[in-house]
């Protein structure tokens, strides 16, 4: 339950109380700050509380943005302030400070006032922001604004949402109120709300072919009480039905699969737009959206492979290669973003080194409008990728679909990775301990590599520059090369995996703060996945590649889950879970041993299937338990460009 405490001078005929009730607030009135403090103390500690001046004039969506967003402990606009349970104690202290008159006797001086942001014409503050008017210098600031100032003075982070053309004002007198009401009437807040439901930065296909109508579908869902998680689930089921249609191996099935996949993507866009439209954000929702995207895409790959097999064409190796490439692409994105999320520029002679030739070129290209869209399209983001898959499924064959995916994703991976490597080398950023810890968690190191790291920690920490990355590359390359060349029934296979165990331990033994250390986790992902792919493809026995597909899918789920826990501020999975799954090096060694010591034709497929089931059960059980019961703060994931 949420409670709104109305303060200040009552205004006859004001719709404010009704608007607050429509947003789910129980409305109470306090004639002065002392009464407001008493009402605040009476509200249960687990409830959200808002302080709103009764003279407030503004759009309903202004109040919605300021008072109902679940992502921020405290938020405010002119004349209105809200605090979630985690900020209630700070709110009580600030309100007590104001009530006792110890807030410095703040009045409505223009320099202290929060301007009325409308995005239109009018006065302009020293910061250059357009406003209609500020709180009058002759009157005391609204209680909500004074409490907001006290909160910020005490170090509480108060969110001030960007209002754009929306209005938030506390007019002093009839003339100012009429002016503010005219400003409200001049802007259609529902149109603003619809526009803001769409991501500001998205791919070409999504921006011009999906969002123009999916935003109205999001509004339709909101008006019928549907939640973003329900739409996300509907998108998943639609994609699974599409995969089932593709698995029929018929032309009609392929056409239906392509159409359903596109509709699944429409729903995938709608869930995020619904979250922004109705401000229904949650960590669980962001995790569902991200992991279901991967589940939908990889299930569709499996459906295409099954459909091709019905027609006599075995494309399981291509399906697995496409999944490996796409997953490694994502981990390049994730690792780079985590490494640089809170990094600072290096200094030379006490001056920060800012800007790089790469970023300068990027900015120059961004100044030419059409290049922005070209650069967004060539990285093959999810919209362009799914559109290509859907069209090629309907008009071509599964083999053609996978060839196009592999070529397109390989080019995109080279393009994005090269640019990020250049940025990392030239920017010379100083990585924080949090970022280094996140990279270590993304490495997914198991007990074997941990043992090597402990034994060789001192010499490993002395390795200069990019040598740890080169060692990881060499070890991963050795594991894949041996898997590709050594006899399948030879213990030599295990030797390559043992080399990989040692090199992996060395690579993660030092603090991952080097300019290119963010590449270590993607290298480890590529080494593990490619080893499984190569061994299953070389085995040449029925069921080996589908079993390998299932194993890589289960392991990839664990890795994506790790990413979204870190991004959601929930921390990495417990070390006990990582160790129980063997870590990347332990699984690689086990799969290699299965290939080397299999004595019957179906030993490898059976072993891979059992391992896939074990990984899936352990990872899924712990993950579902965590996300359902997680107390992590609400977030909204805007998605990866890849």
């Amino acid at each position: 339950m949420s409670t709104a405490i109305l303060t200040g001078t009552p205004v006859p005929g004001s719709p404010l109380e009704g608007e607050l009730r429509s947003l789910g607030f129980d409305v109470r009135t306090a004639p002065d700050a002392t009464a407001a403090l008493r009402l605040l103390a009476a509200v249960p500690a687990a409830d959200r509380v808002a302080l709103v001046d009764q003279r407030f004039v503004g759009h309903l969506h202004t109040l919605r943005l300021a008072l109902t967003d679940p992502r921020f402990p405290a938020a405010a606009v002119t004349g209105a302030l809200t605090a979630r349970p985690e900020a209630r104690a700070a709110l009580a202290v600030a309100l007590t400070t104001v009530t006792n008159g110890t807030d410095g006797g703040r009045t409505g001086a223009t320099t202290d006032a929060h301007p009325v942001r409308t995005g239109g014409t009018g006065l302009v503050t020293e910061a250059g922001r357009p406003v209609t008017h500020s709180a009058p210098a002759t009157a005391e600031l609204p209680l909500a604004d004074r409490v907001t100032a006290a909160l910020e003075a005490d170090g509480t982070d108060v969110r001030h949402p960007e209002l754009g053309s929306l209005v938030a004002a506390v007019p002093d007198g009839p003339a100012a109120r009429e002016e503010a009401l005219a400003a409200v009437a001049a802007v259609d807040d529902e149109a603003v709300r619809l526009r803001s439901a769409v991501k500001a930065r998205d791919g070409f296909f999504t921006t011009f072919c999906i969002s123009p109508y999916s935003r109205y579908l999001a509004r339709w869902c909101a008006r019928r009480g549907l939640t973003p998680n329900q739409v996300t689930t509907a998108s998943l089921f639609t994609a699974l039905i599409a995969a089932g249609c593709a698995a029929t191996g018929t032309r009609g099935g392929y056409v239906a699969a392509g159409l359903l996949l596109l509709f699944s993507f429409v729903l995938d866009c709608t869930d995020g737009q619904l979250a922004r439209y109705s401000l229904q954000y949650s960590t669980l929702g962001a995790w569902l959206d991200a992991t279901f995207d991967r589940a939908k895409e990889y299930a569709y790959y499996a459906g295409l492979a099954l459909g091709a097999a019905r027609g006599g064409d075995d494309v399981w190796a291509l399906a697995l290669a496409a999944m490996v490439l796409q997953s490694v692409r994502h981990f390049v994105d994730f690792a780079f973003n985590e490494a640089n999320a809170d990094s600072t520029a290096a200094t030379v002679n006490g001056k920060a080194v800012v800007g790089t030739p790469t970023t300068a070129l990027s900015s120059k290209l961004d100044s030419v409008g059409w290049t922005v869209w070209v650069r967004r399209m060539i990285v093959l983001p999810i919209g362009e990728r799914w559109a290509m898959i859907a069209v090629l499924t309907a008009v071509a064959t599964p083999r053609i679909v996978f060839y196009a995916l592999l070529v397109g994703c390989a080019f995109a991976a080279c393009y994005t990775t090269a640019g990020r490597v250049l940025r990392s080398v030239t920017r010379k950023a100083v990585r924080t301990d949090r970022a280094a810890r996140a990279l270590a968690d993304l490495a997914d190191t198991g007990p074997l590599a941990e043992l090597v790291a402990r034994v060789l920690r001192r010499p490993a920490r002395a390795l200069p520059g990019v040598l740890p990355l080169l060692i990881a590359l060499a070890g991963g390359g050795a594991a894949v090369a041996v898997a590709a060349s050594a006899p399948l029934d030879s213990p030599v296979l295990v030797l390559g995996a043992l080399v990989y165990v040692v090199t992996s331990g060395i690579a993660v033994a030092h603090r991952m703060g080097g300019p290119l250390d963010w590449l270590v986790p993607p290298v480890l992902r590529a080494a593990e996945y490619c080893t499984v792919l190569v061994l299953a493809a070389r085995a040449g026995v029925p069921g080996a590649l589908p079993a390998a597909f299932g194993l890589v899918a289960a392991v990839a789920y664990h890795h994506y889950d790790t990413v979204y826990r870190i991004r959601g501020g929930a921390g990495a999975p417990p070390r006990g879970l990582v160790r129980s799954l063997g870590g990347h090096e332990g699984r690689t060694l086990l799969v290699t041993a299965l290939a080397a010591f299999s004595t019957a034709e179906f030993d490898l497929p059976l072993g891979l299937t059992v391992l896939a089931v074990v990984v899936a059960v352990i990872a899924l059980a712990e993950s579902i338990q965590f996300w359902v019961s997680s107390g992590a703060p609400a977030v909204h994931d805007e998605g990866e460009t890849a």
Side-chain angles (χ1 to χ4, degrees):
M1 188 64 183
S2 301
T3 299
I5 301 173
L6 293 179
T7 64
T9 306
V11 178
S14 171
L16 180 60
E17 183 172 343
E19 291 175 339
L20 290 170
R21 293 189 188 281
S22 73
L23 295 177
F25 285 92
D26 177 26
V27 181
R28 305 178 187 182
T29 302
D32 52 35
T34 302
L37 188 59
R38 286 198 301 269
L39 287 175
L40 176 63
V43 176
D47 291 358
R48 176 197 286 270
V49 174
L51 292 177
V52 184
D53 193 285
Q54 295 191 80
R55 297 168 296 168
F56 177 88
V57 174
H59 292 95
L60 177 62
H61 194 49
T62 297
L63 291 172
R64 184 181 290 109
L65 289 172
L67 305 183
T68 67
D69 196 321
R71 295 173 295 175
F72 311 109
V77 293
T78 300
L81 164 70
T82 186
R84 287 175 50 81
E86 56 266 36
R88 283 283 304 277
L91 175 62
V93 171
L95 184 54
T96 301
T97 300
V98 172
T99 303
N100 294 336
T102 56
D103 60 332
R106 298 175 189 271
T107 62
T110 304
T111 54
D112 289 330
H114 293 290
V116 181
R117 296 171 189 164
T118 68
T121 59
L123 300 177
V124 178
T125 64
E126 291 182 2
R129 293 175 177 172
V131 300
T132 53
H133 58 282
S134 298
T138 58
E140 187 181 63
L141 280 174
L143 176 63
D145 290 4
R146 286 183 284 143
V147 174
T148 298
L151 273 173
E152 293 178 325
D154 288 339
T156 301
D157 184 15
V158 180
R159 168 77 174 183
H160 295 276
E162 292 293 334
L163 298 182
S165 58
L166 298 176
V167 174
V170 179
D172 183 46
R177 185 173 182 83
E178 288 300 321
E179 180 187 353
L181 289 172
V184 170
V187 177
D188 183 352
D189 70 333
E190 179 60 22
V192 173
R193 188 181 179 191
L194 270 176
R195 285 197 304 271
S196 62
V198 178
K199 284 195 294 188
R201 185 182 186 276
D202 218 330
F204 181 88
F205 179 76
T206 304
T207 299
F208 294 103
C209 301
I210 303 296
S211 292
Y213 57 87
S214 62
R215 70 183 75 179
Y216 296 100
L217 179 58
R219 181 172 66 181
W220 182 88
C221 292
R223 291 177 175 176
R224 281 150 186 83
L226 297 177
T227 67
N229 290 353
Q230 290 171 332
V231 177
T232 300
T233 304
S235 176
L236 172 66
F237 280 117
T238 303
L240 293 179
I241 295 172
C245 292
T248 63
T250 64
R251 179 51 53 192
Y254 288 149
V255 171
L259 292 173
L260 286 170
L261 187 65
L262 285 177
F263 182 60
S264 175
F265 182 65
V266 171
L267 293 176
D268 184 56
C269 295
T270 300
D271 63 3
Q273 291 167 355
L274 174 58
R276 285 182 287 272
Y277 182 84
S278 58
L279 300 184
Q280 297 182 77
Y281 301 117
S282 69
T283 299
L284 175 63
W287 170 76
L288 287 176
D289 185 43
T291 53
F292 280 11
D293 279 351
R294 305 289 76 77
K296 289 181 287 189
E297 187 166 1
Y298 299 158
Y300 193 82
Y301 291 177
L304 285 175
L306 288 170
R310 286 179 176 272
D313 189 12
D314 187 354
V315 297
W316 275 107
L318 295 176
L320 180 50
M323 181 167 66
V324 168
L325 179 56
Q326 189 58 35
S327 297
V328 173
R329 272 188 73 198
H330 279 129
F331 274 90
V332 170
D333 296 339
F334 296 146
F336 178 80
N337 290 336
E338 285 302 321
N340 294 282
D342 51 5
S343 62
T344 57
T347 58
V348 176
N349 297 326
K351 295 183 178 181
V353 179
V354 295
T356 68
T358 308
T359 54
L361 176 60
S362 178
S363 299
K364 185 175 181 180
L365 289 174
D366 284 344
S367 65
V368 183
W370 63 269
T371 65
V372 175
W373 294 113
V374 170
R375 293 164 65 207
R376 291 185 190 178
M377 292 171 66
I378 62 176
V379 298
L380 211 62
I382 186 170
E384 277 73 0
R385 191 167 68 250
W386 282 29
M388 180 184 73
I389 293 171
V391 171
L392 290 179
T393 298
V395 303
T397 65
R399 182 172 290 272
I400 296 299
V401 173
F402 288 123
Y403 282 156
L405 266 175
L406 290 170
V407 171
C409 289
F411 174 80
C414 292
Y415 171 79
T416 55
T417 304
R420 287 167 178 171
V421 168
L422 287 173
R423 285 184 175 90
S424 299
V425 171
T426 55
R427 182 169 179 250
K428 301 184 184 300
V430 178
R431 188 155 299 136
T432 64
D433 289 338
R434 186 219 60 83
R437 181 68 258 169
L439 292 180
D441 291 331
L442 289 176
D444 191 37
T445 303
L448 296 177
E450 278 185 335
L451 177 61
V452 172
R454 282 197 298 268
V455 172
L456 301 177
R457 187 173 303 276
R458 180 165 297 182
R461 286 182 172 178
L463 293 174
V466 298
L467 201 53
L469 170 62
L470 296 179
I471 290 174
L473 277 170
V480 175
V482 172
S485 58
L488 287 179
D489 56 354
S490 169
V492 175
L493 282 175
V494 180
L495 180 61
L498 288 173
V499 170
Y500 176 63
V501 169
V502 174
T503 57
S504 299
I506 296 173
V508 300
H510 74 301
R511 179 183 182 274
M512 302 182 74
L516 294 179
D517 282 348
W518 58 270
L519 281 169
V520 172
V523 166
L524 300 179
R525 295 295 78 75
E528 179 184 2
Y529 298 168
C530 288
T531 299
V532 176
L533 167 61
V534 169
L535 289 173
R538 288 191 64 206
V541 297
L545 279 167
F549 189 96
L551 174 59
V552 172
V555 174
Y557 172 85
H558 164 61
H559 289 148
Y560 280 109
D561 185 59
T562 300
V563 166
Y564 281 97
R565 292 194 198 204
I566 295 173
R567 293 184 64 180
R575 288 301 304 163
L577 173 66
V578 176
R579 293 189 181 104
S580 68
L581 295 176
H584 64 92
E585 80 288 351
R587 291 186 298 267
T588 302
L589 181 60
L590 179 57
V591 170
T592 304
L594 284 172
F597 299 112
S598 295
T599 57
E601 182 180 5
F602 293 101
D603 281 354
L604 182 59
L606 178 61
L608 293 175
T609 301
V610 170
L611 182 57
V613 171
V614 170
V615 171
V617 169
I618 294 175
L620 274 171
E622 195 280 336
S623 175
I624 292 172
Q625 180 184 15
F626 170 81
W627 286 105
V628 169
S629 61
S630 174
V635 299
H636 181 66
D637 175 45
E638 291 287 0
E640 295 301 317
T641 56

